[in-house]
Amino acid sequence: MVANVYLTSLALLLADSTAPKAFSPTGETPYLSPADELATIEVADGYRLELVLSEPEIREPVSLMFDGNGRMYVAEMHTYMQDIDGTDEFAPKSRVSRHESSRGDGRFDRHTVFADGLLLPRMMLPLDDRLIIGETNTNDLFVYRDTNGDGVSDQKLLFYEGGPRGGNLEHQPNGLLWSLDNWLYSTYNAYRLRWTPLGVLKEPTAPNGGQWGVTQDDRGKVWFSNAGGERGITNFQTHIAYGAFNVPQQQDADFREVFPLVGIPDVQGGQLRFRPGDKTLNHFTGTCGQTVYRGDRLPADLRGDVLLAEPVGRLIRRIKVEMRDGITHVRNQYPKSEFIRSIDPNFRPVNMTTGPDGAIYIVDMYRGIIQEGNWVRKDSYLRTVVKAHGLQNNFGRGRIWRLVHEGWKPGPQPRMLAETPQQLVRQLAHPNGWWRDTAQKLLVLRGDRTVVPQLQAMARSHANQLARIHALWTLEGLDALTPELIGNALSNRDAAVRESAVRVAESWLRTRPEHPLRARVTTLAQDPDPTVVIQVLGTARRAAWPDHRKLLRETVAGSSSEGVQEIGGRLLRMLDENETKGMRAEDVAMMERGRGIYNELCFACHGEDGKGAALLGATADLIAAAKAGGQTASTIAPALMGSNLVLKNKDVAINILLHGLTGPVDGQTYAAAMVPMRDNDDAWIAAVLSYVRNSFGNRAPLITPAEVALVRGKGAPRPLPWTAVELTALPKKPASR
């Protein structure tokens, strides 16, 4: 009876979705069946959702991937927040399940547990008939394989040994994308990996700022999203290999404002992050799971748009992407509304991908609490709201939805694992990006060079520019490029082909830095298309070609392009950073590690400049309401520049990172929680603290791992974070070197 009354009230609210209403704190939020939940989901005109999978076949799904035969793999976190405290969260009881459509009609009717006994799996990447899986608390990656055809993995081999990793599980990498350039990218990690027949390569990139979800567009640019810093998508002006760039004009002023239907203020940001009247989320706060639509079975105007999940707001944003004079600009396709949103508080979209059938697949974790336990601890604002609505009782379910459009006709189920190399080359011209990506990956993995002439012909003259680009990168993956072929692509009339040719040339020139092709590439610094110019500048800087500083200075000074001015100028400013001047080599190495950690994690709340990330979108009314509720700060977290807590006492700084910090700082109360970082090792803590204490104008003694170990060893871990008052009472340590 309660559920029926509840469903009726939801239906009434959905009928008047332009005016969401606050939910009464009744102490419970009933679950709905998939059919009833579907009735509460509002989708843009012409689109609809179809149920693909639900409990009991899946529970707590967090991501999905398709292999070359269209089999769906779903990562399931069975121990994630099974109560309000996250009890036994790190027990190895999670899994990756596999789901097949035996008739090839899109109905997944064969279900197996492909890999079981996992610790919160967070990375998946199908290779051929093998699947890479990455778990929580480790950077190791393993390859799993089903050798006897029963749908269950019976072989596990090490793919990449990365070693242990600590930290909150919301602050660990995921994603693992085999990108156009044949490198593997993930969130958080400021490095990329590459499969080769002789082993896995690793090299650094800019810190990407991503948290959950990674995708790429047709030109191979990798897109990340950030939740903790309330940014939505981030660092998308260039490929992350060349820098993590954002510019002021990249989004409309109101881009980060969201328009949910659920009026429950279960937002970690507190009073400033919901509308006082209807209690709906007002700003990005949990964004994740983005995908660029590159399929062929939905309307053409969706192609190239980014879909971004906001599970705290129970919605999905459609982002229109436009290139303007070298600047990538994004806006909400549905002003004052959203692409998909639900009135069901349990609707929690966390990931999306384009499927081989051309549809978009949405992972709905379908649960009450979406935040990890550190954000709903006993002293938190959020815990009170969660309990008032009974959200802590809702767990153990999950749904996969398929987004389609009127007149939808699915593409055929692939059988690419059995295709010949010649057949795979033809798939590089497929209108669905999933097919092109998968064909390229399989060709590179097989290493069959008999198709090189076929690929060369495609790269030179195919009518489809995307086919030419994929052919170039497949040749790069097979180590079969020639300077003549690259030169031909550098002269192509299509700017996207020329841009890819510059990146391909960068790869080829690694072992031939003095070849005349390098000079040919630098002439494109005068290309009429600013995206090509920016690529040349990024390539020259990353490869550290002779006179690359001069090339950057002269190109930026002589260009009228807004994009070249903005991004080229930032590339120039990256060339000189002096925080490590005069330090010993081992101290420089520690500082560089600390810089990477800060730019992967800490910047989101404390800002790139250490001044605290601004709380954007806070109106005067919201600020007044927040002050009435005790929240007074205008930044997400305290400034680190000149911070006494960071600089004056080493033990204080170490204790903050080990055990967290709560309550006012210098009389200000902040939206973000400083969660404990004690699961990271002593060297990690020492590196990031040393960096913070010697950046943003700060100068203070470096902190050593031994000093961290000494503080860590003083008694049992605190059950609650420190307060600033407690920390100021700690004995002072000398501040001199």
Side-chain angles (χ1 to χ4, degrees):
M1 176 62 74
V2 172
N4 290 337
V5 172
Y6 185 76
L7 181 58
T8 300
S9 66
L10 291 183
L12 290 172
L13 285 173
L14 186 62
D16 188 21
S17 62
T18 57
K21 299 177 183 178
F23 280 58
S24 299
T26 62
E28 62 178 330
T29 298
Y31 272 126
L32 302 180
S33 68
D36 287 342
E37 182 196 3
L38 183 58
T40 74
I41 301 175
E42 177 185 277
V43 187
D45 288 348
Y47 292 90
R48 72 175 189 275
L49 295 181
E50 298 176 347
L51 183 68
V52 177
L53 289 174
S54 66
E55 65 277 0
E57 280 75 30
I58 57 170
R59 294 188 292 117
E60 308 287 13
V62 295
S63 65
L64 68 83
M65 301 287 285
F66 293 94
D67 71 9
N69 281 354
R71 296 176 295 202
M72 181 195 297
Y73 295 85
V74 179
E76 305 178 34
M77 288 188 171
H78 285 186
T79 60
Y80 182 80
M81 294 304 290
Q82 301 298 291
D83 60 29
I84 200 167
D85 297 310
T87 304
D88 293 330
E89 195 162 45
F90 293 101
K93 299 178 181 179
S94 297
R95 71 185 192 184
V96 169
S97 55
R98 189 168 87 178
H99 310 274
E100 302 179 54
S101 176
S102 63
R103 295 180 294 274
D105 59 0
R107 297 179 183 275
F108 292 86
D109 55 350
R110 288 183 181 171
H111 314 285
T112 58
V113 178
F114 183 74
D116 207 356
L118 303 177
L119 177 55
L120 298 165
R122 56 197 311 112
M123 286 182 169
M124 293 190 301
L125 175 64
L127 295 175
D128 32 37
D129 62 340
R130 298 167 293 167
L131 180 73
I132 299 175
I133 299 176
E135 300 175 68
T136 298
N137 290 342
T138 180
N139 286 320
D140 294 343
L141 299 173
F142 286 88
V143 172
Y144 292 73
R145 185 180 231 153
D146 166 23
T147 65
N148 59 14
D150 64 355
V152 178
S153 169
D154 48 52
Q155 184 185 84
K156 177 183 176 182
L157 299 173
L158 182 67
F159 177 80
Y160 166 72
E161 185 174 5
R165 186 183 184 103
N168 184 276
L169 70 90
E170 286 195 14
H171 297 157
Q172 298 190 36
N174 76 95
L176 208 60
L177 169 76
W178 183 303
S179 192
L180 179 67
D181 61 9
N182 298 310
W183 287 89
L184 278 58
Y185 296 87
S186 57
T187 67
Y188 281 107
N189 292 326
Y191 60 80
R192 60 185 185 177
L193 303 174
R194 182 173 179 129
W195 173 88
T196 76
L198 301 178
V200 175
L201 304 179
K202 175 183 176 181
E203 68 177 38
T205 67
N208 57 63
Q211 288 190 267
W212 190 264
V214 59
T215 185
Q216 70 172 340
D217 58 27
D218 278 342
R219 296 174 94 157
K221 182 163 66 176
V222 187
W223 291 71
F224 300 93
S225 63
N226 181 275
E230 303 182 335
R231 294 162 176 253
I233 49 173
T234 190
N235 297 331
F236 55 83
Q237 286 302 327
T238 65
H239 193 287
I240 199 63
Y242 305 100
F245 299 133
N246 298 282
V247 300
Q249 63 272 44
Q250 69 186 19
Q251 60 192 30
D252 291 353
D254 60 352
F255 176 72
R256 300 184 192 181
E257 184 178 5
V258 294
F259 303 93
L261 297 177
V262 174
I264 296 178
D266 58 331
V267 294
Q268 187 270 327
Q271 301 268 351
L272 284 172
R273 278 295 162 249
F274 61 85
R275 299 176 177 93
D278 58 27
K279 308 297 184 186
T280 57
L281 180 69
N282 61 34
H283 189 282
F284 287 150
T285 188
T287 45
C288 61
Q290 68 282 358
T291 191
V292 178
Y293 182 63
R294 302 169 58 221
D296 60 337
R297 299 285 170 151
L298 299 180
D301 72 328
L302 186 65
R303 261 193 90 91
D305 288 0
V306 179
L307 300 189
L308 178 66
E310 171 49 272
V312 176
R314 290 86 170 176
L315 60 88
I316 295 172
R317 165 70 55 88
R318 176 181 172 185
I319 299 170
K320 179 60 67 176
V321 181
E322 299 172 337
M323 184 64 72
R324 302 177 185 172
D325 196 18
I327 298 290
T328 303
H329 186 272
V330 295
R331 60 178 172 84
N332 182 3
Q333 176 67 7
Y334 301 96
K336 306 298 180 184
S337 187
E338 301 294 346
F339 185 45
I340 298 173
R341 55 185 182 175
S342 176
I343 201 68
D344 183 352
N346 296 306
F347 176 60
R348 300 291 198 177
V350 295
N351 231 321
M352 291 171 285
T353 192
T354 301
D357 58 3
I360 293 172
Y361 286 74
I362 299 169
V363 179
D364 174 8
M365 210 169 178
Y366 201 70
R367 64 183 352 267
I369 299 177
I370 198 64
Q371 296 88 350
E372 200 272 336
N374 271 294
W375 283 267
V376 287
R377 59 194 180 214
K378 292 180 181 179
D379 61 341
S380 68
Y381 154 84
L382 190 56
R383 190 182 186 99
T384 303
V385 179
V386 165
K387 294 185 75 172
H389 294 272
L391 298 177
Q392 75 277 11
N393 301 317
N394 296 0
F395 54 87
R397 290 168 169 79
R399 286 92 197 254
I400 306 292
W401 304 99
R402 180 165 44 220
L403 177 70
V404 300
H405 196 265
E406 58 189 19
W408 151 260
K409 292 182 179 179
Q413 181 167 317
R415 290 287 183 263
M416 298 176 77
L417 298 185
E419 289 188 348
T420 66
Q422 291 73 24
Q423 289 173 316
L424 289 174
V425 170
R426 290 195 288 272
Q427 304 289 17
L428 298 177
H430 199 286
N432 184 341
W434 180 90
W435 288 71
R436 298 194 305 275
D437 294 348
T438 304
Q440 177 182 322
K441 175 177 61 180
L442 291 173
L443 284 164
V444 172
L445 286 167
R446 292 185 189 182
D448 188 335
R449 293 168 62 93
T450 62
V451 294
V452 166
Q454 188 181 354
L455 288 166
Q456 289 174 332
M458 177 177 278
R460 287 192 182 97
S461 58
H462 200 282
N464 184 334
Q465 60 151 342
L466 296 175
R468 295 197 298 273
I469 290 171
H470 277 277
L472 278 173
W473 281 112
T474 305
L475 288 164
E476 189 269 354
L478 294 172
D479 194 22
L481 289 167
T482 66
E484 293 76 19
L485 187 67
I486 298 172
N488 176 272
L490 290 169
S491 301
N492 195 280
R493 65 174 180 268
D494 188 281
V497 175
R498 297 198 302 276
E499 180 188 33
S500 271
V502 173
R503 292 190 64 207
V504 162
E506 174 188 339
S507 176
W508 189 83
L509 286 164
R510 281 177 181 235
T511 56
R512 311 163 182 87
E514 302 305 319
H515 194 278
L517 182 64
R518 191 186 73 209
R520 172 74 179 86
V521 171
T522 58
T523 64
L524 268 68
Q526 304 303 315
D527 194 274
D529 190 293
T531 61
V532 178
V533 177
I534 292 166
Q535 180 58 59
V536 172
L537 299 182
T539 286
R541 178 191 168 278
R542 181 174 176 83
W545 289 346
D547 295 328
H548 66 278
R549 293 171 183 262
K550 179 181 178 183
L551 177 67
L552 263 71
R553 283 196 299 269
E554 291 181 351
T555 303
V556 172
S559 177
S560 60
S561 162
E562 184 178 36
V564 174
Q565 289 285 325
E566 281 278 11
I567 299 168
R570 289 167 188 260
L571 285 166
L572 271 172
R573 289 193 290 276
M574 287 171 62
L575 292 174
D576 296 305
E577 294 181 309
N578 298 312
E579 291 98 337
T580 60
K581 186 176 181 180
M583 289 186 179
R584 299 176 304 168
E586 57 266 35
D587 293 338
V588 171
M590 181 169 67
M591 283 281 288
E592 288 304 313
R593 185 185 183 195
R595 183 200 308 275
I597 295 168
Y598 186 89
N599 289 327
E600 290 170 9
L601 176 61
C602 314
F603 82 99
C605 296
H606 294 288
E608 288 95 337
D609 55 6
K611 295 180 180 179
L615 268 169
L616 300 179
T619 64
D621 290 345
L622 288 173
I623 292 172
K627 286 183 176 180
Q631 181 177 320
T632 58
S634 59
T635 57
I636 296 174
L640 301 176
M641 177 190 292
S643 168
N644 288 333
L645 290 175
V646 170
L647 297 173
K648 284 197 171 181
N649 187 334
K650 286 185 177 182
D651 281 6
V652 166
I654 293 168
N655 269 298
I656 290 173
L657 251 67
L658 287 177
H659 305 298
L661 181 67
T662 189
V665 175
D666 296 329
Q668 300 287 305
T669 303
Y670 293 86
M674 179 63 210
V675 300
M677 297 289 175
R678 57 176 168 260
D679 291 336
N680 295 288
D681 62 29
D682 297 336
W684 190 98
I685 300 287
V688 69
L689 281 177
S690 294
Y691 172 73
V692 167
R693 285 161 60 89
N694 290 277
S695 301
F696 322 123
N698 296 337
R699 296 297 284 177
L702 302 180
I703 290 176
T704 68
E707 289 173 316
V708 177
L710 188 62
V711 174
R712 191 193 293 269
K714 292 179 180 178
R718 288 174 58 90
L720 293 175
W722 291 94
T723 66
V725 173
E726 290 176 310
L727 288 169
T728 55
L730 291 176
K732 293 185 178 180
K733 299 191 84 170
S736 59
R737 290 187 185 275

